[in-house]
């Protein structure tokens, strides 16, 4: 059992590792430096660039949204995000797209969905969904069953998951939910924060500035 836990730590998604490090630094108090101190900042695991021979200089920033490998298997932990369209008179939300990614940030399921009711508002400026996307989309009940099969018995990660589960007409055990909108260190004065604000603060990336992308939103979770 101990070796299994050790292996899981070794294969920790770098997005989580980076986030945990930022949370630790956010909570820790800055240390005072004595006058004339020549102490340098602690070295990173890789060391300083000049101490890393055989590595080409690359000033391009690391993309925290990029998957770390090409493993597309369904892992014990999956993250989910949904995009909604307007039905009825436009004021009722229905599922228009659902995406699930695995622990490594690779997509394991991504489908546009044809709602049961007629779509009157595609909400393209937010959802990114256009009429052409739903012309050959799968029926809601087909997608719902597939999603239910994938998340069953697994840890489900997301942001405001109650909204996603609501449009899917699904439920999930509370003990198996990991919702970034309800994670205590992310709350501000008891209120929830938007995912784009968390992404900017903890990962230094800009998302959801205009049309949403369910894939990039999920990799952050």
């Amino acid at each position: 059992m101990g070796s299994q836990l050790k292996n899981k730590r070794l294969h920790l998604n770098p997005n989580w590792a980076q986030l945990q490090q930022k949370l630790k630094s956010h909570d820790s108090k800055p240390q005072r430096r004595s006058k004339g101190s020549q102490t340098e900042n602690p070295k990173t695991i890789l060391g300083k660039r000049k101490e890393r021979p055989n590595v080409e200089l690359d000033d391009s920033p690391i993309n925290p949204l990029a998957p770390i490998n090409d493993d597309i298997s369904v892992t014990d932990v999956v993250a989910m995000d949904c995009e909604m369209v307007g039905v009825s008179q436009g004021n009722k939300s229905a599922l228009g797209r659902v995406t699930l990614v695995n622990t490594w940030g690779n997509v394991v399921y991504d489908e546009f969905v044809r709602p049961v009711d007629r779509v009157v508002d595609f909400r393209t400026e937010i959802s990114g969904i256009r009429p052409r996307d739903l012309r050959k989309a799968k029926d809601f009940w087909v997608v719902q069953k597939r999603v239910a099969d994938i998340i069953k018995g697994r840890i489900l990660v997301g942001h405001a998951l109650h909204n996603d589960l609501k449009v899917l007409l699904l439920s999930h055990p509370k003990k198996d939910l990991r919702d970034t909108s309800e994670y205590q260190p992310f709350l501000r004065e008891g209120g929830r924060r938007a995912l784009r604000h968390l992404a900017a603060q903890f990962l230094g990336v800009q998302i959801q500035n205009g049309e949403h992308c369910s894939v990039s939103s999920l990799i952050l979770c």
Side-chain angles (χ1 to χ4, degrees):
M1 179 62 122
S3 62
Q4 292 178 352
L5 291 175
K6 184 176 180 181
N7 287 335
K8 286 187 177 180
R9 294 192 188 99
L10 289 174
H11 292 88
L12 186 66
N13 189 310
N15 293 341
W16 278 110
Q18 183 180 7
L19 182 56
Q20 290 175 351
Q21 186 62 36
K22 292 208 173 204
L23 284 173
K24 289 179 182 179
S25 62
H26 180 72
D27 293 335
S28 61
K29 294 182 179 180
Q31 298 180 349
R32 290 186 177 181
R33 296 176 62 183
S34 58
K35 187 175 181 180
S37 172
Q38 300 297 321
T39 304
E40 296 181 349
N41 292 330
K43 296 181 179 179
T44 64
I45 295 176
L46 295 177
K48 293 182 179 179
R49 186 183 298 276
K50 66 181 181 180
E51 296 174 358
R52 282 182 270 152
N54 304 324
V55 177
E56 296 182 1
L57 294 178
D58 184 3
D59 295 329
S60 60
I62 297 175
N63 181 9
L65 303 184
I68 63 175
N69 58 39
D70 56 1
D71 184 349
I72 58 172
S73 62
V74 181
T75 51
D76 291 337
V77 178
V78 294
M80 180 174 73
D81 186 44
C82 296
E83 298 298 341
M84 288 73 155
V85 293
V87 296
S88 186
Q89 295 181 349
N91 56 353
K92 181 181 178 182
S93 294
L95 182 65
R97 181 184 183 185
V98 58
T99 307
L100 292 104
V101 301
N102 62 13
T103 298
W104 317 117
N106 291 308
V107 176
V108 296
Y109 189 72
D110 181 32
E111 288 289 348
F112 287 104
V113 184
R114 183 183 296 109
V116 176
D117 298 322
R118 177 175 173 271
V119 178
V120 297
D121 185 359
F122 288 89
R123 303 177 183 175
T124 305
E125 67 281 0
I126 297 176
S127 70
I129 298 174
R130 292 167 170 76
R132 65 173 180 266
D133 296 323
L134 301 191
R135 286 172 190 156
K136 295 184 179 180
K138 292 188 177 180
D139 290 335
F140 171 80
W141 304 113
V142 174
V143 174
Q144 181 202 48
K145 184 180 185 305
R146 179 57 179 149
V147 171
D149 290 341
I150 293 175
I151 68 176
K152 184 177 180 180
R154 292 184 166 86
I155 300 296
L156 182 61
V157 182
H159 190 80
L161 280 168
H162 60 281
N163 291 328
D164 298 330
L165 292 170
K166 181 178 179 180
V167 295
L168 277 160
L169 302 181
L170 293 174
S171 61
H172 201 67
K174 188 174 182 179
K175 66 180 180 64
D176 292 336
L177 294 177
R178 302 294 185 269
D179 196 325
T180 53
S181 72
E182 298 180 0
Y183 184 50
Q184 188 63 39
F186 291 165
L187 301 181
R188 175 176 293 172
E189 297 179 355
R192 297 173 180 174
R193 301 173 62 192
L195 184 61
R196 66 179 181 276
H197 296 154
L198 297 176
Q201 178 179 352
F202 294 105
L203 294 177
V205 295
Q206 301 295 321
I207 66 168
Q208 299 179 346
N209 293 325
E211 296 181 14
H212 291 191
C213 173
S214 55
V215 175
S216 63
S217 296
L218 285 176
I219 296 174
L220 291 168
C221 297

